[in-house]
């Protein structure tokens, strides 16, 4: 069953059940009130009759007294203790045959005679012989029957009329709910067929859940599209970047095969170039793998870490590998809750860049306040031109391509650094001025 039909069917059915139950309730309540009213009227009559009977003597004809109080369309009976009818008067035809049953403890009973409800009430009376007898007053409720039939008809009609707006509103409800879902289905199937990232139209003033769903869907499509484009860009950049070293390797290998074995200097040059390009390619592939893994949301392992000793441990191998002054400045030991390994990688990238793009000493400073710790890596190199700053964290972006080739850069280091910083909940800021130097700052929360 379609969702629209389900909504339509169940909401209409539910309303019908509610209406029917309400109407049945109204009917029975009215019936009870009508019977109670009739009983109360009859009781007043019974009281008057009881007082007349108490004044009656042996000479009086009891039937005459009873006749004075007989209800129209009914009967009055006096029943003795054995259950035998002592006196009975009737004003309705055939009512003599009617034998009422009143449950013990009940004030009155409603039975049926001739397809008409009949009310019987009883009252103990002291008879002329001093014995207690039962006075029964019986009345056919033709008016009540008529009123109840009329009420039944009215309630049935009201239910039928009420079903018209209910049906219309359930159809409208179905449309309201289904329309955006239909739209969504159409857009999704269109996107699947055409391979595009279609969006759905959402009314600008819409604030309900459907509009929210539409906005969420459009945002998700936008994100998918941008991720796909990024991925495409990445693949195209990566293949382009890998093509260059491969071309170099290929040409040197050809050179080697042509002349290299006869000429040692050519062979040395070719092998050297092949080696350095292979190393560059290996580095690039490692970094690309790192980025790809990061995209799969690598788990970060946060724990209390002594920042000074972590930075010192990162600087140590750099001092040994490069004949350079790596200075560490910072007051005492600061502790932060972070992922030590990821932070070490991040600091390493910044230090390695500082080393690659400057000639003089490199200064690392650790400072902190109540809530944050800042690790600043400063070099006194060429700096980064202002127009390059907005792109500096983009994948494969390099400032001066030729210069960077010499340094063996891939343009992926800072992209990785940015992702690491994001994962650590840290901010990565930079200040640079051409010809003076560059400072990268990692500003991370203590907790
Ligand atoms: P690469 O592998 O080329 O170093 P990065 O993403 O680490 O890639 O850096 C991107 C570019 O930013 C570098 O190619 C370089 O031009 C510039 N750059 C990064 N760090 C510095 C620095 N400390 N000083 C000057 N330029 C820098």
């Amino acid at each position: 069953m379609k969702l629209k039909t389900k909504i339509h069917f169940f909401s209409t059915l539910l309303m019908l059940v509610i209406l029917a139950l309400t109407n049945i309730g109204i009917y029975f309540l009215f019936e009870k009130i009508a019977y109670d009213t009739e009983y109360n009227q009859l009781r007043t009559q019974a009281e008057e009759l009881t007082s007349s009977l108490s004044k009656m003597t042996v000479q009086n004809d009891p039937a005459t007294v009873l006749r004075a109080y007989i209800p129209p369309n009914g009967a009055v009976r006096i029943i003795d203790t054995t259950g035998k009818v002592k006196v009975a008067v009737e004003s309705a035809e055939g009512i003599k045959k009617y034998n009422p049953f009143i449950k013990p403890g009940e004030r009155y009973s409603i039975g049926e005679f001739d397809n008409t409800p009949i009310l019987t009430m009883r009252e103990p009376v002291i008879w002329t012989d001093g014995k207690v007898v039962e006075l029964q007053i019986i009345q056919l409720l033709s008016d009540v029957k008529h009123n109840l039939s009329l009420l039944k008809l009215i309630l049935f009609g009201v239910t039928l009329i009420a079903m018209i707006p209910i049906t219309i509103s359930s159809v409208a409800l179905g449309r309201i709910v289904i329309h955006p879902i239909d739209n969504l289905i159409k857009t999704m199937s269109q996107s699947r067929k055409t391979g595009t990232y279609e969006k759905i139209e959402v009314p600008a003033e819409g604030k309900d859940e459907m509009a929210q769903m539409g906005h969420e869907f459009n945002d998700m499509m936008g994100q998918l599209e941008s991720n796909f484009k990024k991925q495409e860009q990445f693949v195209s950049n990566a293949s382009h970047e890998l093509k260059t070293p491969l071309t170099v390797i290929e040409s040197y290998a050809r050179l080697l095969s042509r002349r290299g074995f006869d000429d040692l200097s050519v062979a040395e040059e070719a092998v050297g170039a092949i080696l350095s390009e292979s190393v560059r390619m290996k580095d690039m592939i490692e970094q690309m793998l790192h980025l790809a893994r990061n995209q799969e949301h690598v788990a970060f392992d946060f724990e209390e870490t002594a920042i000074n000793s972590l930075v010192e441990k990162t600087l140590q191998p750099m001092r040994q590998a490069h004949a350079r002054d790596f200075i560490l400045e910072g007051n005492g030991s600061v502790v932060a809750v972070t992922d030590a390994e990821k932070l070490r990688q991040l600091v390493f990238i910044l230090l390695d860049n500082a080393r690659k793009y400057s000639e003089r000493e490199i200064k690392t400073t650790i400072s902190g306040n109540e809530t944050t710790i800042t690790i600043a890596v400063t070099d006194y190199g060429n700096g980064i031109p202002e127009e390059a700053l907005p792109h500096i964290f983009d994948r494969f972006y390099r400032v001066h391509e030729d210069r960077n080739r010499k340094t063996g850069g891939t343009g992926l280091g800072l992209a990785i650094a940015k992702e690491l910083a994001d994962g650590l909940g840290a901010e990565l800021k930079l200040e640079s001025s051409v010809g003076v130097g560059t400072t990268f700052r990692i500003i991370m929360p203590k907790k």
Side-chain angles (χ1 to χ4, degrees), residues 20 78 107 135 140 161 164 176 183 199 235 255 335 360 381:
I78 300 290
R107 297 174 298 164
L135 164 72
L140 266 169
I161 293 168
I164 299 169
I176 291 171
N183 258 351
K199 296 200 171 127
V235 171
L255 180 70
V335 174
R360 285 172 51 195

Side-chain angles (χ1 to χ4, degrees), residues 36 60 123 151 160 185 228 232 268 273 323 337 365 370 381-382:
D36 277 355
N60 290 110
E123 198 74 38
L151 179 68
L160 273 188
I185 294 171
F228 182 74
E232 237 179 10
E268 269 173 3
V337 177
T365 320
E370 295 275 285
N382 290 343

Side-chain angles (χ1 to χ4, degrees), residues 83-256:
K84 223 178 85 207
V85 178
K86 253 172 130 46
V87 194
V89 288
E90 287 94 18
S91 62
E93 220 174 294
I95 208 160
K96 209 171 191 164
K97 285 184 275 157
Y98 178 65
N99 201 8
F101 170 73
I102 306 177
K103 275 193 219 152
E106 289 281 315
R107 297 174 298 164
Y108 67 90
S109 85
I110 301 289
E112 206 183 73
F113 180 74
D114 228 1
N115 279 331
T116 309
I118 185 161
L119 187 149
T120 310
M121 66 155 293
R122 63 178 169 199
E123 198 74 38
V125 186
I126 299 180
W127 197 239
T128 44
D129 56 5
K131 283 185 182 157
V132 177
V133 290
E134 188 181 283
L135 164 72
Q136 268 187 5
I137 304 183
I138 301 168
Q139 184 175 9
L140 266 169
L141 304 174
S142 312
D143 283 353
V144 175
K145 180 189 172 184
H146 174 256
N147 289 346
L148 283 177
S149 318
L150 190 68
L151 179 68
K152 231 188 260 178
L153 211 67
I154 291 171
L155 292 178
F156 191 69
V158 165
T159 309
L160 273 188
I161 293 168
M163 281 321 285
I164 299 169
I166 287 171
T167 313
I168 295 173
S169 75
S170 87
V171 171
L173 180 72
R175 288 234 174 102
I176 291 171
V177 175
I178 295 305
H179 183 65
I181 297 179
D182 263 348
N183 258 351
L184 201 67
I185 294 171
K186 271 190 214 131
T187 315
M188 285 199 274
S189 101
Q190 172 90 355
S191 296
R192 188 177 50 78
K193 278 187 205 137
T194 56
T196 50
Y197 295 88
E198 302 288 330
K199 296 200 171 127
I200 52 174
E201 258 180 52
V202 187
E205 69 283 0
K207 296 250 181 314
D208 58 10
E209 284 81 353
M210 289 298 164
Q212 217 177 324
M213 184 182 78
H215 288 305
E216 287 293 331
F217 177 81
N218 286 348
D219 288 352
M220 185 187 75
M221 277 306 202
Q223 205 175 341
L224 278 178
E225 189 174 14
S226 110
N227 280 354
F228 182 74
K229 279 192 180 144
K230 267 195 219 160
Q231 205 81 14
E232 237 179 10
Q233 186 71 38
F234 183 67
V235 171
S236 110
N237 284 345
S239 26
H240 182 257
E241 294 299 323
L242 286 172
K243 224 163 85 186
T244 322
L246 274 175
T247 315
V248 176
I249 290 172
E250 191 192 354
S251 10
Y252 273 106
R254 279 187 200 286
L255 180 70
L256 200 57

